[in-house]
Every structure is written in structure tokens, then in C-alpha cells.
Amino acid sequence: MAGILAWFWNERFWLPHNVTWADLKNTDEATFPQAEDLYVACPLAFCIFMIRLVFERFIARPCALGLKIQANGPQKAQPNAILEKVFTAITKHPDEKRLEGLSKQLDWDVRTIQRWFRQRRNQEKPSTLARFCESMWRFTFYLYIFTYGVRFLKKTTWLWNTRECWYNYPYQPLTVDIHYYYILELSFYLSLLFSQFTDIRRKDFLIMFLHHLATITLITFSYVNNMARVGTLVMCLHDAADVLMEVAKMANYAKCQRLCNLLFVMFAMVFISSRLGAYPVWILNTTLFESWEIVGPYPSWWVFNLLLILLQFLHSFWSYLIVKIACRAISRGKVSKDDRSDIESSSDEDNGPPPAPVQKHYNSTTNGTNKAHGTNGYLSAGAPCPDEH
């Protein structure tokens, strides 16, 4: 084990040439980031998750009910023991052969069975109220952490001159503000990583999972090798758009369409300008070129920048989704559903009474796949959103 730890913490990987871990030990004169400082983030992530549950139950839920957001979710499928057994024990997406067998067994029309499975899948999705509570929690955290970041960074020198991120590197002392900022952000993203398996399932689940992993790795990397100054810039820049994203989703759930449209436009402008403009021009420029000129590259430098470039690809993907929604909104006159949602669209019949057994000669004429009848409707994001980033 000692050999593995020695290999992992190899100074030639983590630190610039001629710098050792002994050089970055805490002294009476200066405090530097230590890897063990990050251990507290794990129990704090659990605390943040518990705070979220309390917040959603006693603050977000009453707000949602005050806005007349109902707790009922998608329409429930008609109880049927045979179909329920197939759904829970065999498959949630029966193929054509199985559908025909169930049709003969139940004497139901195939399309009615398809509709039952669609409704049953949607039945497991959260209600609009649950989505509102999730967005309100994220909005509250992002607003707090972004406000804190701006108030802290405006007093620093590296906000106005990014070359200050690399002068005297890595012998830059760790301040209380930086330590608090890092631990809180890391704890929040750890809580998001694990709660992603219990939150609303979206089509970009794997993309968001990759985003959270990249974010956690970036925060850890930049803290351990004391790239904390540029790390604070990255975190604050990403939090800016996430605030607008979540409040726009809240407006959409509350059916405040004009406010939602306005907030979505603001979100799109901030997201694209910050993630496709400021991020490469301001952040990548200093981590790739200014740091190369002042400090020079070393192994963990390459890893750090590769992760930042990975984030840039994710930014481009989410920007594409935002532009796609914006174009559809212009054609329809309002912001539509989130392309990441997994709530399935169905026919007009899905919004009506539950399906009843019918004879096989029954001819259904309304069971199309009109996407205009999507059942959830919330905005695309980058944390986040994603998610958030």
C-alpha cells in the first residue's frame, strides 16, 4: 500500500520541476493546500444532501403549492396484474412479438397495450412539483455560491489579471476564503453525483455523470497542486449561468410563460457568452498559454488542461441543445420541453381516461405520436445545469 501511495503522489507528476511536497508543508508563516483537507467534503456532501431534503420538504414544496403547482404526476396506467408482472419482471419495453402474445392473452388491442406500457413507464417519473423543488434547491445553492464567489473574487488580483494565477506558483498561500469556496463546491458536486441516481432521469444522464466526474476531478486536481486561483475563476464562471437556468425552469413549472421566455433568453445569452466566449478566451488562454510561459508544463498540468478542454466539448454540446430549443421556441412562440427529459409523449388518448380492454377488431385512430403533447416541459441546461457544468 505504501508503494502505491508513493507512486500516486509522485512529485514529478503533481508538481513543477524542482518542487517537492516538503516545500508545500504548512508553516507558521504560510498555509498551503493539503490533500487531506478534502476529506471533510465527503461527510459535508451527505450533510448538504440532508439539508436539501429538509429544504425541499419545508420550503420549496410550500412555495410550489402556493404557485398552484400540483403534486400529481403523469396519468397512471389502468391496474392489470399480467401487464404489471411483465413490466416489473421481464421488460419495460416489450417487442412486437411479446405485444402480440399479450394482445391474444388479454384480448386487448396492441396499441392499447403499447399505451399502457407508455403510461406505466411515465408513472415512475417525478411530478412537476418534485421537479420544481429540485430546481428551487439548486437555484438557492447556485445563487448563494455565485454571490459568495463574486464578492470574494472582486477583491483579488487574479480576477483582473489572470497572469497573477501563476506568479510565484506553486508557493501561493491558501486563504480561508479559497478553502471555504473549494470545500463547499466539492461537497455540492459530490452530493449531485450520488443524488443523480435518485433525481429526475434525463436523456443526458451519462453526459451529466461525466460532467460531475470531470468537475470533481478538476476541483481536486487544482486544489492538490495549488492551482486554486484559476480554479476559483472556473467555478464562478460556471455558476453564473446555472442561476438563470434553474429560475427559468421554476418559471416554466409554474406556467409563467412570459417570465420563462425572458429568463430563458437571459440564460442562453449568459451561457453561450460565458461557456463559448469567456471560458476559452479567459480561462483556457491562461491555463494553456500564460501558465506555459510563466511556469512551464509538467504531467499534472497536461491532465488539468485536458479536463478543461473536455468541459469545453460539453459546453458545446449543451450550447447546441440551447440553440435547438431557442429555434423551436421562435417557431412556436414559447419555450418548449426539455430535450433531456425522458417523459414520453403519446397520443391524445394518453391524456384521457385509462385504457379499457377492447376487442382486437377495435380500430384506434388517435394513437399517434404527436410530440406537441409532451407531459413535462422544462428547460435544457449546462449543470446542470448541467447541472450543475
Side-chain angles (χ1 to χ4, degrees):
M1 180 60 72
I4 295 176
L5 290 176
W7 169 82
F8 182 80
W9 293 112
N10 190 303
E11 295 166 342
R12 298 285 60 81
F13 172 80
W14 288 96
L15 302 174
H17 186 61
N18 290 332
V19 179
T20 67
W21 292 120
D23 297 330
L24 299 178
K25 287 295 183 181
N26 293 333
T27 65
D28 294 336
E29 292 77 23
T31 300
F32 299 103
Q34 306 295 316
E36 53 266 25
D37 296 345
L38 301 178
Y39 294 161
V40 71
C42 292
L44 188 56
F46 177 76
C47 292
I48 288 176
F49 180 74
M50 298 306 296
I51 293 171
R52 170 190 170 174
L53 296 180
V54 173
F55 178 90
E56 291 186 357
R57 176 66 179 86
F58 296 103
I59 299 177
R61 183 181 176 87
C63 290
L65 295 176
L67 293 170
K68 299 181 180 179
I69 298 176
Q70 300 300 317
N72 56 308
Q75 181 182 339
K76 294 185 178 181
Q78 177 187 7
N80 185 287
I82 296 176
L83 295 182
E84 185 67 26
K85 183 177 180 180
V86 173
F87 183 86
T88 56
I90 302 177
T91 178
K92 296 181 180 181
H93 298 271
D95 55 23
E96 185 177 349
K97 183 178 180 180
R98 191 176 298 278
L99 285 172
E100 291 177 354
L102 290 170
S103 176
K104 294 177 181 178
Q105 184 177 358
L106 296 172
D107 204 22
W108 280 22
D109 184 81
V110 169
R111 290 188 174 182
T112 302
I113 297 175
Q114 288 176 323
R115 185 165 62 253
W116 187 95
F117 275 93
R118 185 162 49 242
Q119 290 178 335
R120 183 63 182 84
R121 290 192 295 269
N122 287 342
Q123 189 176 315
E124 297 187 337
K125 304 300 179 180
S127 65
T128 302
L129 185 143
R131 296 195 293 269
F132 179 91
C133 292
E134 177 191 332
S135 289
M136 187 171 179
W137 160 250
R138 295 192 182 197
F139 164 74
T140 304
F141 179 85
Y142 287 136
L143 180 63
Y144 167 74
I145 201 66
F146 176 68
T147 303
Y148 176 85
V150 170
R151 291 182 61 185
F152 156 63
L153 285 171
K154 71 179 182 181
K155 297 180 291 184
T156 65
T157 57
W158 59 88
L159 175 65
W160 315 105
N161 179 14
T162 54
R163 297 179 71 87
E164 291 286 344
C165 293
W166 312 108
Y167 291 147
N168 196 37
Y169 175 83
Y171 304 106
Q172 299 164 343
L174 177 69
T175 66
V176 174
D177 288 328
I178 293 179
H179 180 261
Y180 174 79
Y181 197 15
Y182 258 80
I183 295 300
L184 196 57
E185 286 272 17
L186 178 59
S187 302
F188 179 72
Y189 280 103
L190 282 172
S191 71
L192 285 185
L193 181 68
F194 296 115
S195 65
Q196 189 181 3
F197 295 94
T198 60
D199 282 346
I200 302 156
R201 183 93 176 190
R202 298 187 175 101
K203 291 179 180 177
D204 66 346
F205 174 87
L206 291 178
I207 294 292
M208 288 303 299
F209 187 78
L210 179 62
H211 170 270
H212 294 333
L213 281 179
T215 303
I216 291 168
T217 306
L218 273 170
I219 292 174
T220 303
F221 250 75
S222 60
Y223 187 87
V224 169
N225 62 8
N226 204 14
M227 289 184 178
R229 290 187 176 184
V230 72
T232 58
L233 299 180
V234 174
M235 291 188 295
C236 190
L237 182 68
H238 281 73
D239 290 335
D242 292 334
V243 175
L244 291 170
M245 173 188 70
E246 298 301 339
V247 73
K249 289 159 69 174
M250 290 163 58
N252 200 31
Y253 299 143
K255 299 182 180 179
C256 301
Q257 195 61 53
R258 290 185 179 180
L259 178 60
C260 173
N261 292 345
L262 174 62
L263 291 169
F264 177 76
V265 171
M266 294 171 60
F267 159 71
M269 292 174 61
V270 171
F271 185 95
I272 293 175
S273 62
S274 62
R275 308 291 178 95
L276 299 186
Y279 182 80
V281 173
W282 189 40
I283 301 297
L284 292 182
N285 176 65
T286 192
T287 60
L288 287 170
F289 303 111
E290 292 178 351
S291 66
W292 182 294
E293 176 186 344
I294 298 172
V295 179
Y298 52 98
S300 68
W301 180 94
W302 289 102
V303 175
F304 182 70
N305 278 287
L306 284 173
L307 289 170
L308 290 176
I309 293 171
L310 171 62
L311 273 185
Q312 184 61 70
F313 282 110
L314 294 175
H315 295 163
S316 301
F317 170 74
W318 284 314
S319 296
Y320 160 75
L321 292 181
I322 292 170
V323 171
K324 185 178 178 181
I325 287 181
C327 293
R328 188 165 59 218
I330 293 173
S331 64
R332 295 183 179 180
K334 66 176 182 178
V335 176
S336 186
K337 65 189 271 296
D338 186 352
D339 276 353
R340 303 179 304 152
S341 169
D342 275 351
I343 295 287
E344 299 177 64
S345 298
S346 59
S347 68
D348 294 340
E349 290 182 82
D350 286 358
N351 297 322
V358 292
Q359 299 298 323
K360 286 186 287 184
H361 63 267
Y362 171 80
N363 181 22
S364 173
T365 59
T366 59
N367 191 35
T369 54
N370 185 0
K371 297 291 183 182
H373 295 283
T375 55
N376 62 331
Y378 51 96
L379 299 176
S380 187
C385 305
D387 173 346
E388 138 230 320
H389 326 350

